Amino acid sequence: MAKENTSMYIILGLLEHEDLSGYDIKKKIDFMISHFWEIGYGQIYPTLKTMEENGMITKKVSETSKGPEKNLYSITDSGREVLKEWLLLPEAKEYTKYEILVKLFFGKLVSEEENRKRIELFQERHLQNAAIMKMFRTNLEQVLKESEDHLYYYLTVLFGEKIYNAYIEWAKEAEELLGKKNENDNLHKGDNE
Amino acid sequence: MAKENTSMYIILGLLEHEDLSGYDIKKKIDFMISHFWEIGYGQIYPTLKTMEENGMITKKVSETSKGPEKNLYSITDSGREVLKEWLLLPEAKEYTKYEILVKLFFGKLVSEEENRKRIELFQERHLQNAAIMKMFRTNLEQVLKESEDHLYYYLTVLFGEKIYNAYIEWAKEAEELLGKKNENDNLHKGDNE
DNA sequence: CAATTCATGTAAGGTGTTACATGATTAC
DNA sequence: GTAATCATGTAACACCTTACATGAATTG
């Protein structure tokens, strides 16, 4: 058995709620979870296979009236136990890799324009992400008034929004700082003329 | 050759500034870079080996008066070129994995106490990180007044501080939301008595 | 004299990504 | 009819972590 295998627990968690195919699982993850944990098909299908072999889930081939045939998976009691045990364990610390910061860290080696462009693109990407999260949050808030079923989902969306906003704020400040540097450069240029 | 191999470029970037041993490289990364990109010895030593084979760096064994012998690496012109080319490429999007959010997403399956405890620990960890970043930033600001040599380093520290603060803010709000839920629960409890 | 730090490295295994392969159905 | 979506899967490889192994020197 694997050591961590968070993908497996994500699949278990989703199946605890409803029966799903590998394809469905991917869609759910992309929509609700991918902002803090991405998984590809290359991980999902093999994992489903070993999970079935280990008795955590069962497969039934569903002959839908239309479309290709689906493998529908259901969680077993054993799977439910494995999931709950895992949920009680302390989690590993978050795992973040920001290639943009590595490149910026060595920013002296390229032109300032290059660095500024990089930060702008980063900011644009995350303005979009922040907008998506805000939309999700607003929709969820309507639903939360009636029942708190989605409270934990809401917490993850809130997290996403906060982080993306922090990215955007940083990008603004970073651009200002580079701009200030430019002004100084120009002043000094003026001194020498 | 590898496809991305960001570790390699980090090593090149550090060697562009000064000659270092594998051990030195690890220390530098831990101190300045690990907040956005971690690397272990298991990656550094093998990478140095292949980099030497590919002519990006050269090794000289330094017989220091005291302590064990060191392998000091220097970047070559070829290595410098490889680094600069990479610095001009657009970066991959950031890679983040938050196991805590996965566990929270399925938070309904465990007790609320469990979830609250989790968030508190997360917050404590990042209060410490934020404090470290603030200290770094304050120190760097003193230096920046004299020369802007460390401006790019400063930008990465600023990033760290913003992100850790966003984590902390989120944790506060999340705790409040869980608390509010509790109050509601108690109210409903009262209704039924 | 015991623990920590300095210093280098290997082996094994787990994790994750990318590319490839296939084929039916649906929407334009 | 062509492009996109539905649906499943494999193979290769790149990446990264962990554990192990060794031994000298320094610090308390």
PDB file of all heavy atoms in Angstrom, chain C residues 3-16:
ATOM      1  P    DA C   3      23.912  11.153  23.353  1.00  0.00           P
ATOM      2  OP1  DA C   3      22.671  10.865  24.101  1.00  0.00           O
ATOM      3  OP2  DA C   3      24.460  10.143  22.403  1.00  0.00           O
ATOM      4  O5'  DA C   3      23.717  12.539  22.601  1.00  0.00           O
ATOM      5  C5'  DA C   3      23.654  13.736  23.381  1.00  0.00           C
ATOM      6  C4'  DA C   3      23.826  14.925  22.470  1.00  0.00           C
ATOM      7  O4'  DA C   3      25.207  15.074  22.081  1.00  0.00           O
ATOM      8  C3'  DA C   3      23.011  14.837  21.173  1.00  0.00           C
ATOM      9  O3'  DA C   3      22.354  16.086  20.989  1.00  0.00           O
ATOM     10  C2'  DA C   3      24.054  14.555  20.094  1.00  0.00           C
ATOM     11  C1'  DA C   3      25.293  15.244  20.672  1.00  0.00           C
ATOM     12  N9   DA C   3      26.586  14.678  20.260  1.00  0.00           N
ATOM     13  C8   DA C   3      26.933  13.355  20.170  1.00  0.00           C
ATOM     14  N7   DA C   3      28.175  13.153  19.782  1.00  0.00           N
ATOM     15  C5   DA C   3      28.677  14.450  19.616  1.00  0.00           C
ATOM     16  C6   DA C   3      29.942  14.924  19.221  1.00  0.00           C
ATOM     17  N6   DA C   3      30.984  14.135  18.923  1.00  0.00           N
ATOM     18  N1   DA C   3      30.104  16.265  19.142  1.00  0.00           N
ATOM     19  C2   DA C   3      29.065  17.062  19.441  1.00  0.00           C
ATOM     20  N3   DA C   3      27.845  16.731  19.836  1.00  0.00           N
ATOM     21  C4   DA C   3      27.700  15.391  19.898  1.00  0.00           C
ATOM     22  P    DT C   4      21.267  16.298  19.844  1.00  0.00           P
ATOM     23  OP1  DT C   4      20.139  17.015  20.456  1.00  0.00           O
ATOM     24  OP2  DT C   4      21.047  15.014  19.137  1.00  0.00           O
ATOM     25  O5'  DT C   4      22.007  17.303  18.864  1.00  0.00           O
ATOM     26  C5'  DT C   4      22.724  18.416  19.423  1.00  0.00           C
ATOM     27  C4'  DT C   4      23.680  18.982  18.392  1.00  0.00           C
ATOM     28  O4'  DT C   4      24.841  18.124  18.256  1.00  0.00           O
ATOM     29  C3'  DT C   4      23.096  19.134  16.982  1.00  0.00           C
ATOM     30  O3'  DT C   4      23.163  20.505  16.643  1.00  0.00           O
ATOM     31  C2'  DT C   4      23.981  18.241  16.100  1.00  0.00           C
ATOM     32  C1'  DT C   4      25.274  18.184  16.912  1.00  0.00           C
ATOM     33  N1   DT C   4      26.181  17.001  16.702  1.00  0.00           N
ATOM     34  C2   DT C   4      27.514  17.241  16.412  1.00  0.00           C
ATOM     35  O2   DT C   4      27.988  18.357  16.294  1.00  0.00           O
ATOM     36  N3   DT C   4      28.285  16.104  16.263  1.00  0.00           N
ATOM     37  C4   DT C   4      27.871  14.791  16.366  1.00  0.00           C
ATOM     38  O4   DT C   4      28.661  13.869  16.214  1.00  0.00           O
ATOM     39  C5   DT C   4      26.459  14.609  16.671  1.00  0.00           C
ATOM     40  C7   DT C   4      25.906  13.234  16.795  1.00  0.00           C
ATOM     41  C6   DT C   4      25.686  15.717  16.818  1.00  0.00           C
ATOM     42  P    DT C   5      22.509  21.101  15.329  1.00  0.00           P
ATOM     43  OP1  DT C   5      22.016  22.450  15.651  1.00  0.00           O
ATOM     44  OP2  DT C   5      21.606  20.078  14.766  1.00  0.00           O
ATOM     45  O5'  DT C   5      23.771  21.248  14.360  1.00  0.00           O
ATOM     46  C5'  DT C   5      24.915  21.971  14.809  1.00  0.00           C
ATOM     47  C4'  DT C   5      26.058  21.744  13.836  1.00  0.00           C
ATOM     48  O4'  DT C   5      26.591  20.413  13.994  1.00  0.00           O
ATOM     49  C3'  DT C   5      25.647  21.874  12.357  1.00  0.00           C
ATOM     50  O3'  DT C   5      26.524  22.819  11.754  1.00  0.00           O
ATOM     51  C2'  DT C   5      25.829  20.455  11.803  1.00  0.00           C
ATOM     52  C1'  DT C   5      26.948  19.940  12.715  1.00  0.00           C
ATOM     53  N1   DT C   5      27.108  18.455  12.811  1.00  0.00           N
ATOM     54  C2   DT C   5      28.372  17.921  12.653  1.00  0.00           C
ATOM     55  O2   DT C   5      29.371  18.595  12.435  1.00  0.00           O
ATOM     56  N3   DT C   5      28.435  16.546  12.760  1.00  0.00           N
ATOM     57  C4   DT C   5      27.381  15.681  13.006  1.00  0.00           C
ATOM     58  O4   DT C   5      27.574  14.472  13.080  1.00  0.00           O
ATOM     59  C5   DT C   5      26.088  16.308  13.162  1.00  0.00           C
ATOM     60  C7   DT C   5      24.879  15.457  13.416  1.00  0.00           C
ATOM     61  C6   DT C   5      26.008  17.652  13.053  1.00  0.00           C
ATOM     62  P    DC C   6      26.573  23.137  10.239  1.00  0.00           P
ATOM     63  OP1  DC C   6      26.995  24.541  10.056  1.00  0.00           O
ATOM     64  OP2  DC C   6      25.321  22.633   9.628  1.00  0.00           O
ATOM     65  O5'  DC C   6      27.763  22.189   9.769  1.00  0.00           O
ATOM     66  C5'  DC C   6      29.120  22.544  10.068  1.00  0.00           C
ATOM     67  C4'  DC C   6      30.042  21.609   9.313  1.00  0.00           C
ATOM     68  O4'  DC C   6      29.748  20.253   9.719  1.00  0.00           O
ATOM     69  C3'  DC C   6      29.842  21.667   7.792  1.00  0.00           C
ATOM     70  O3'  DC C   6      31.112  21.792   7.159  1.00  0.00           O
ATOM     71  C2'  DC C   6      29.152  20.349   7.464  1.00  0.00           C
ATOM     72  C1'  DC C   6      29.662  19.433   8.567  1.00  0.00           C
ATOM     73  N1   DC C   6      28.759  18.297   8.901  1.00  0.00           N
ATOM     74  C2   DC C   6      29.277  16.992   8.934  1.00  0.00           C
ATOM     75  O2   DC C   6      30.488  16.825   8.674  1.00  0.00           O
ATOM     76  N3   DC C   6      28.454  15.960   9.226  1.00  0.00           N
ATOM     77  C4   DC C   6      27.175  16.181   9.506  1.00  0.00           C
ATOM     78  N4   DC C   6      26.396  15.136   9.808  1.00  0.00           N
ATOM     79  C5   DC C   6      26.619  17.503   9.498  1.00  0.00           C
ATOM     80  C6   DC C   6      27.442  18.525   9.188  1.00  0.00           C
ATOM     81  P    DA C   7      31.249  22.263   5.704  1.00  0.00           P
ATOM     82  OP1  DA C   7      32.662  22.557   5.454  1.00  0.00           O
ATOM     83  OP2  DA C   7      30.242  23.305   5.458  1.00  0.00           O
ATOM     84  O5'  DA C   7      30.795  20.950   4.928  1.00  0.00           O
ATOM     85  C5'  DA C   7      31.789  19.966   4.627  1.00  0.00           C
ATOM     86  C4'  DA C   7      31.168  18.716   4.074  1.00  0.00           C
ATOM     87  O4'  DA C   7      30.421  17.983   5.087  1.00  0.00           O
ATOM     88  C3'  DA C   7      30.138  18.826   2.952  1.00  0.00           C
ATOM     89  O3'  DA C   7      30.804  18.930   1.702  1.00  0.00           O
ATOM     90  C2'  DA C   7      29.357  17.515   3.072  1.00  0.00           C
ATOM     91  C1'  DA C   7      29.842  16.911   4.382  1.00  0.00           C
ATOM     92  N9   DA C   7      28.772  16.293   5.166  1.00  0.00           N
ATOM     93  C8   DA C   7      27.678  16.902   5.739  1.00  0.00           C
ATOM     94  N7   DA C   7      26.852  16.069   6.342  1.00  0.00           N
ATOM     95  C5   DA C   7      27.445  14.834   6.148  1.00  0.00           C
ATOM     96  C6   DA C   7      27.076  13.522   6.530  1.00  0.00           C
ATOM     97  N6   DA C   7      25.969  13.240   7.226  1.00  0.00           N
ATOM     98  N1   DA C   7      27.892  12.508   6.176  1.00  0.00           N
ATOM     99  C2   DA C   7      28.993  12.777   5.483  1.00  0.00           C
ATOM    100  N3   DA C   7      29.452  13.957   5.068  1.00  0.00           N
ATOM    101  C4   DA C   7      28.628  14.955   5.428  1.00  0.00           C
ATOM    102  P    DT C   8      29.920  18.785   0.341  1.00  0.00           P
ATOM    103  OP1  DT C   8      30.822  19.218  -0.725  1.00  0.00           O
ATOM    104  OP2  DT C   8      28.589  19.383   0.501  1.00  0.00           O
ATOM    105  O5'  DT C   8      29.734  17.206   0.222  1.00  0.00           O
ATOM    106  C5'  DT C   8      30.889  16.367   0.174  1.00  0.00           C
ATOM    107  C4'  DT C   8      30.468  14.941  -0.006  1.00  0.00           C
ATOM    108  O4'  DT C   8      29.665  14.526   1.124  1.00  0.00           O
ATOM    109  C3'  DT C   8      29.581  14.702  -1.230  1.00  0.00           C
ATOM    110  O3'  DT C   8      30.302  13.972  -2.211  1.00  0.00           O
ATOM    111  C2'  DT C   8      28.371  13.931  -0.709  1.00  0.00           C
ATOM    112  C1'  DT C   8      28.802  13.521   0.685  1.00  0.00           C
ATOM    113  N1   DT C   8      27.650  13.431   1.631  1.00  0.00           N
ATOM    114  C2   DT C   8      27.339  12.192   2.147  1.00  0.00           C
ATOM    115  O2   DT C   8      27.965  11.189   1.898  1.00  0.00           O
ATOM    116  N3   DT C   8      26.250  12.186   2.977  1.00  0.00           N
ATOM    117  C4   DT C   8      25.467  13.259   3.339  1.00  0.00           C
ATOM    118  O4   DT C   8      24.514  13.120   4.089  1.00  0.00           O
ATOM    119  C5   DT C   8      25.852  14.527   2.766  1.00  0.00           C
ATOM    120  C7   DT C   8      25.061  15.755   3.103  1.00  0.00           C
ATOM    121  C6   DT C   8      26.909  14.553   1.945  1.00  0.00           C
ATOM    122  P    DG C   9      29.808  13.955  -3.727  1.00  0.00           P
ATOM    123  OP1  DG C   9      30.875  13.394  -4.574  1.00  0.00           O
ATOM    124  OP2  DG C   9      29.209  15.243  -4.068  1.00  0.00           O
ATOM    125  O5'  DG C   9      28.641  12.875  -3.594  1.00  0.00           O
ATOM    126  C5'  DG C   9      29.086  11.545  -3.515  1.00  0.00           C
ATOM    127  C4'  DG C   9      28.054  10.687  -2.867  1.00  0.00           C
ATOM    128  O4'  DG C   9      27.340  11.272  -1.779  1.00  0.00           O
ATOM    129  C3'  DG C   9      26.899  10.263  -3.766  1.00  0.00           C
ATOM    130  O3'  DG C   9      27.354   9.262  -4.653  1.00  0.00           O
ATOM    131  C2'  DG C   9      25.901   9.709  -2.739  1.00  0.00           C
ATOM    132  C1'  DG C   9      26.404  10.294  -1.414  1.00  0.00           C
ATOM    133  N9   DG C   9      25.349  10.814  -0.562  1.00  0.00           N
ATOM    134  C8   DG C   9      24.963  12.116  -0.365  1.00  0.00           C
ATOM    135  N7   DG C   9      23.975  12.247   0.480  1.00  0.00           N
ATOM    136  C5   DG C   9      23.676  10.947   0.854  1.00  0.00           C
ATOM    137  C6   DG C   9      22.683  10.440   1.750  1.00  0.00           C
ATOM    138  O6   DG C   9      21.851  11.072   2.398  1.00  0.00           O
ATOM    139  N1   DG C   9      22.730   9.054   1.838  1.00  0.00           N
ATOM    140  C2   DG C   9      23.614   8.249   1.158  1.00  0.00           C
ATOM    141  N2   DG C   9      23.516   6.935   1.357  1.00  0.00           N
ATOM    142  N3   DG C   9      24.548   8.695   0.337  1.00  0.00           N
ATOM    143  C4   DG C   9      24.517  10.048   0.220  1.00  0.00           C
ATOM    144  P    DT C  10      26.305   8.639  -5.705  1.00  0.00           P
ATOM    145  OP1  DT C  10      27.109   7.959  -6.734  1.00  0.00           O
ATOM    146  OP2  DT C  10      25.318   9.665  -6.081  1.00  0.00           O
ATOM    147  O5'  DT C  10      25.547   7.535  -4.854  1.00  0.00           O
ATOM    148  C5'  DT C  10      26.290   6.530  -4.174  1.00  0.00           C
ATOM    149  C4'  DT C  10      25.320   5.479  -3.665  1.00  0.00           C
ATOM    150  O4'  DT C  10      24.487   6.067  -2.634  1.00  0.00           O
ATOM    151  C3'  DT C  10      24.382   4.922  -4.733  1.00  0.00           C
ATOM    152  O3'  DT C  10      24.311   3.521  -4.527  1.00  0.00           O
ATOM    153  C2'  DT C  10      23.047   5.641  -4.463  1.00  0.00           C
ATOM    154  C1'  DT C  10      23.111   5.887  -2.959  1.00  0.00           C
ATOM    155  N1   DT C  10      22.405   7.092  -2.457  1.00  0.00           N
ATOM    156  C2   DT C  10      21.478   6.943  -1.449  1.00  0.00           C
ATOM    157  O2   DT C  10      21.192   5.865  -0.971  1.00  0.00           O
ATOM    158  N3   DT C  10      20.907   8.111  -1.004  1.00  0.00           N
ATOM    159  C4   DT C  10      21.159   9.389  -1.445  1.00  0.00           C
ATOM    160  O4   DT C  10      20.584  10.352  -0.958  1.00  0.00           O
ATOM    161  C5   DT C  10      22.127   9.487  -2.509  1.00  0.00           C
ATOM    162  C7   DT C  10      22.477  10.826  -3.071  1.00  0.00           C
ATOM    163  C6   DT C  10      22.701   8.352  -2.956  1.00  0.00           C
ATOM    164  P    DA C  11      23.555   2.612  -5.613  1.00  0.00           P
ATOM    165  OP1  DA C  11      24.300   1.329  -5.677  1.00  0.00           O
ATOM    166  OP2  DA C  11      23.266   3.389  -6.838  1.00  0.00           O
ATOM    167  O5'  DA C  11      22.169   2.354  -4.862  1.00  0.00           O
ATOM    168  C5'  DA C  11      22.159   2.067  -3.467  1.00  0.00           C
ATOM    169  C4'  DA C  11      20.756   1.655  -3.092  1.00  0.00           C
ATOM    170  O4'  DA C  11      20.032   2.818  -2.613  1.00  0.00           O
ATOM    171  C3'  DA C  11      19.924   1.080  -4.235  1.00  0.00           C
ATOM    172  O3'  DA C  11      19.183  -0.010  -3.708  1.00  0.00           O
ATOM    173  C2'  DA C  11      19.065   2.254  -4.704  1.00  0.00           C
ATOM    174  C1'  DA C  11      18.893   3.065  -3.422  1.00  0.00           C
ATOM    175  N9   DA C  11      18.817   4.523  -3.589  1.00  0.00           N
ATOM    176  C8   DA C  11      19.459   5.306  -4.515  1.00  0.00           C
ATOM    177  N7   DA C  11      19.218   6.596  -4.392  1.00  0.00           N
ATOM    178  C5   DA C  11      18.366   6.660  -3.303  1.00  0.00           C
ATOM    179  C6   DA C  11      17.748   7.748  -2.651  1.00  0.00           C
ATOM    180  N6   DA C  11      17.905   9.022  -3.017  1.00  0.00           N
ATOM    181  N1   DA C  11      16.954   7.473  -1.600  1.00  0.00           N
ATOM    182  C2   DA C  11      16.811   6.195  -1.226  1.00  0.00           C
ATOM    183  N3   DA C  11      17.324   5.089  -1.754  1.00  0.00           N
ATOM    184  C4   DA C  11      18.111   5.401  -2.805  1.00  0.00           C
ATOM    185  P    DA C  12      18.169  -0.806  -4.653  1.00  0.00           P
ATOM    186  OP1  DA C  12      18.323  -2.226  -4.290  1.00  0.00           O
ATOM    187  OP2  DA C  12      18.305  -0.357  -6.063  1.00  0.00           O
ATOM    188  O5'  DA C  12      16.776  -0.291  -4.085  1.00  0.00           O
ATOM    189  C5'  DA C  12      16.639  -0.073  -2.676  1.00  0.00           C
ATOM    190  C4'  DA C  12      15.268   0.490  -2.416  1.00  0.00           C
ATOM    191  O4'  DA C  12      15.291   1.930  -2.554  1.00  0.00           O
ATOM    192  C3'  DA C  12      14.191  -0.027  -3.375  1.00  0.00           C
ATOM    193  O3'  DA C  12      13.055  -0.360  -2.601  1.00  0.00           O
ATOM    194  C2'  DA C  12      13.961   1.148  -4.322  1.00  0.00           C
ATOM    195  C1'  DA C  12      14.244   2.344  -3.411  1.00  0.00           C
ATOM    196  N9   DA C  12      14.697   3.575  -4.077  1.00  0.00           N
ATOM    197  C8   DA C  12      15.490   3.696  -5.181  1.00  0.00           C
ATOM    198  N7   DA C  12      15.731   4.940  -5.540  1.00  0.00           N
ATOM    199  C5   DA C  12      15.051   5.687  -4.602  1.00  0.00           C
ATOM    200  C6   DA C  12      14.901   7.074  -4.424  1.00  0.00           C
ATOM    201  N6   DA C  12      15.462   7.993  -5.220  1.00  0.00           N
ATOM    202  N1   DA C  12      14.144   7.499  -3.387  1.00  0.00           N
ATOM    203  C2   DA C  12      13.580   6.577  -2.590  1.00  0.00           C
ATOM    204  N3   DA C  12      13.643   5.249  -2.658  1.00  0.00           N
ATOM    205  C4   DA C  12      14.399   4.863  -3.701  1.00  0.00           C
ATOM    206  P    DG C  13      11.831  -1.138  -3.269  1.00  0.00           P
ATOM    207  OP1  DG C  13      11.498  -2.263  -2.384  1.00  0.00           O
ATOM    208  OP2  DG C  13      12.093  -1.332  -4.719  1.00  0.00           O
ATOM    209  O5'  DG C  13      10.702  -0.044  -3.103  1.00  0.00           O
ATOM    210  C5'  DG C  13      10.668   0.756  -1.919  1.00  0.00           C
ATOM    211  C4'  DG C  13       9.936   2.024  -2.218  1.00  0.00           C
ATOM    212  O4'  DG C  13      10.782   2.932  -2.973  1.00  0.00           O
ATOM    213  C3'  DG C  13       8.675   1.810  -3.084  1.00  0.00           C
ATOM    214  O3'  DG C  13       7.611   2.454  -2.430  1.00  0.00           O
ATOM    215  C2'  DG C  13       9.023   2.483  -4.409  1.00  0.00           C
ATOM    216  C1'  DG C  13       9.970   3.571  -3.943  1.00  0.00           C
ATOM    217  N9   DG C  13      10.842   4.167  -4.957  1.00  0.00           N
ATOM    218  C8   DG C  13      11.590   3.527  -5.926  1.00  0.00           C
ATOM    219  N7   DG C  13      12.257   4.356  -6.693  1.00  0.00           N
ATOM    220  C5   DG C  13      11.925   5.612  -6.198  1.00  0.00           C
ATOM    221  C6   DG C  13      12.330   6.905  -6.618  1.00  0.00           C
ATOM    222  O6   DG C  13      13.097   7.208  -7.538  1.00  0.00           O
ATOM    223  N1   DG C  13      11.755   7.908  -5.850  1.00  0.00           N
ATOM    224  C2   DG C  13      10.896   7.697  -4.798  1.00  0.00           C
ATOM    225  N2   DG C  13      10.440   8.775  -4.162  1.00  0.00           N
ATOM    226  N3   DG C  13      10.508   6.492  -4.386  1.00  0.00           N
ATOM    227  C4   DG C  13      11.053   5.509  -5.133  1.00  0.00           C
ATOM    228  P    DG C  14       6.110   2.040  -2.746  1.00  0.00           P
ATOM    229  OP1  DG C  14       5.650   1.132  -1.684  1.00  0.00           O
ATOM    230  OP2  DG C  14       6.002   1.657  -4.170  1.00  0.00           O
ATOM    231  O5'  DG C  14       5.411   3.436  -2.544  1.00  0.00           O
ATOM    232  C5'  DG C  14       5.941   4.383  -1.606  1.00  0.00           C
ATOM    233  C4'  DG C  14       5.747   5.765  -2.161  1.00  0.00           C
ATOM    234  O4'  DG C  14       6.764   6.055  -3.151  1.00  0.00           O
ATOM    235  C3'  DG C  14       4.397   5.957  -2.847  1.00  0.00           C
ATOM    236  O3'  DG C  14       3.838   7.133  -2.308  1.00  0.00           O
ATOM    237  C2'  DG C  14       4.742   6.070  -4.345  1.00  0.00           C
ATOM    238  C1'  DG C  14       6.152   6.653  -4.288  1.00  0.00           C
ATOM    239  N9   DG C  14       7.035   6.395  -5.437  1.00  0.00           N
ATOM    240  C8   DG C  14       7.427   5.183  -5.947  1.00  0.00           C
ATOM    241  N7   DG C  14       8.247   5.290  -6.967  1.00  0.00           N
ATOM    242  C5   DG C  14       8.410   6.656  -7.132  1.00  0.00           C
ATOM    243  C6   DG C  14       9.182   7.389  -8.073  1.00  0.00           C
ATOM    244  O6   DG C  14       9.916   6.960  -8.967  1.00  0.00           O
ATOM    245  N1   DG C  14       9.055   8.764  -7.892  1.00  0.00           N
ATOM    246  C2   DG C  14       8.271   9.355  -6.930  1.00  0.00           C
ATOM    247  N2   DG C  14       8.270  10.680  -6.896  1.00  0.00           N
ATOM    248  N3   DG C  14       7.552   8.681  -6.034  1.00  0.00           N
ATOM    249  C4   DG C  14       7.665   7.346  -6.202  1.00  0.00           C
ATOM    250  P    DT C  15       2.382   7.606  -2.673  1.00  0.00           P
ATOM    251  OP1  DT C  15       1.840   8.282  -1.482  1.00  0.00           O
ATOM    252  OP2  DT C  15       1.652   6.503  -3.345  1.00  0.00           O
ATOM    253  O5'  DT C  15       2.692   8.723  -3.747  1.00  0.00           O
ATOM    254  C5'  DT C  15       3.679   9.720  -3.455  1.00  0.00           C
ATOM    255  C4'  DT C  15       3.676  10.706  -4.597  1.00  0.00           C
ATOM    256  O4'  DT C  15       4.547  10.238  -5.646  1.00  0.00           O
ATOM    257  C3'  DT C  15       2.291  10.922  -5.219  1.00  0.00           C
ATOM    258  O3'  DT C  15       2.080  12.309  -5.221  1.00  0.00           O
ATOM    259  C2'  DT C  15       2.408  10.274  -6.602  1.00  0.00           C
ATOM    260  C1'  DT C  15       3.900  10.406  -6.890  1.00  0.00           C
ATOM    261  N1   DT C  15       4.539   9.403  -7.800  1.00  0.00           N
ATOM    262  C2   DT C  15       5.409   9.873  -8.774  1.00  0.00           C
ATOM    263  O2   DT C  15       5.641  11.061  -8.933  1.00  0.00           O
ATOM    264  N3   DT C  15       5.995   8.906  -9.550  1.00  0.00           N
ATOM    265  C4   DT C  15       5.804   7.539  -9.459  1.00  0.00           C
ATOM    266  O4   DT C  15       6.402   6.788 -10.215  1.00  0.00           O
ATOM    267  C5   DT C  15       4.884   7.111  -8.424  1.00  0.00           C
ATOM    268  C7   DT C  15       4.618   5.656  -8.253  1.00  0.00           C
ATOM    269  C6   DT C  15       4.311   8.055  -7.663  1.00  0.00           C
ATOM    270  P    DG C  16       0.726  12.935  -5.729  1.00  0.00           P
ATOM    271  OP1  DG C  16       0.530  14.197  -4.994  1.00  0.00           O
ATOM    272  OP2  DG C  16      -0.326  11.893  -5.746  1.00  0.00           O
ATOM    273  O5'  DG C  16       1.088  13.302  -7.217  1.00  0.00           O
ATOM    274  C5'  DG C  16       2.270  14.074  -7.469  1.00  0.00           C
ATOM    275  C4'  DG C  16       2.469  14.180  -8.952  1.00  0.00           C
ATOM    276  O4'  DG C  16       3.047  12.954  -9.448  1.00  0.00           O
ATOM    277  C3'  DG C  16       1.174  14.405  -9.737  1.00  0.00           C
ATOM    278  O3'  DG C  16       1.292  15.666 -10.362  1.00  0.00           O
ATOM    279  C2'  DG C  16       1.097  13.234 -10.720  1.00  0.00           C
ATOM    280  C1'  DG C  16       2.517  12.696 -10.723  1.00  0.00           C
ATOM    281  N9   DG C  16       2.664  11.255 -10.948  1.00  0.00           N
ATOM    282  C8   DG C  16       2.039  10.220 -10.275  1.00  0.00           C
ATOM    283  N7   DG C  16       2.400   9.041 -10.706  1.00  0.00           N
ATOM    284  C5   DG C  16       3.313   9.312 -11.713  1.00  0.00           C
ATOM    285  C6   DG C  16       4.035   8.431 -12.549  1.00  0.00           C
ATOM    286  O6   DG C  16       4.019   7.190 -12.558  1.00  0.00           O
ATOM    287  N1   DG C  16       4.845   9.127 -13.447  1.00  0.00           N
ATOM    288  C2   DG C  16       4.950  10.493 -13.525  1.00  0.00           C
ATOM    289  N2   DG C  16       5.776  10.986 -14.446  1.00  0.00           N
ATOM    290  N3   DG C  16       4.282  11.326 -12.753  1.00  0.00           N
ATOM    291  C4   DG C  16       3.486  10.670 -11.878  1.00  0.00           C
TER     292       DG C  16
END
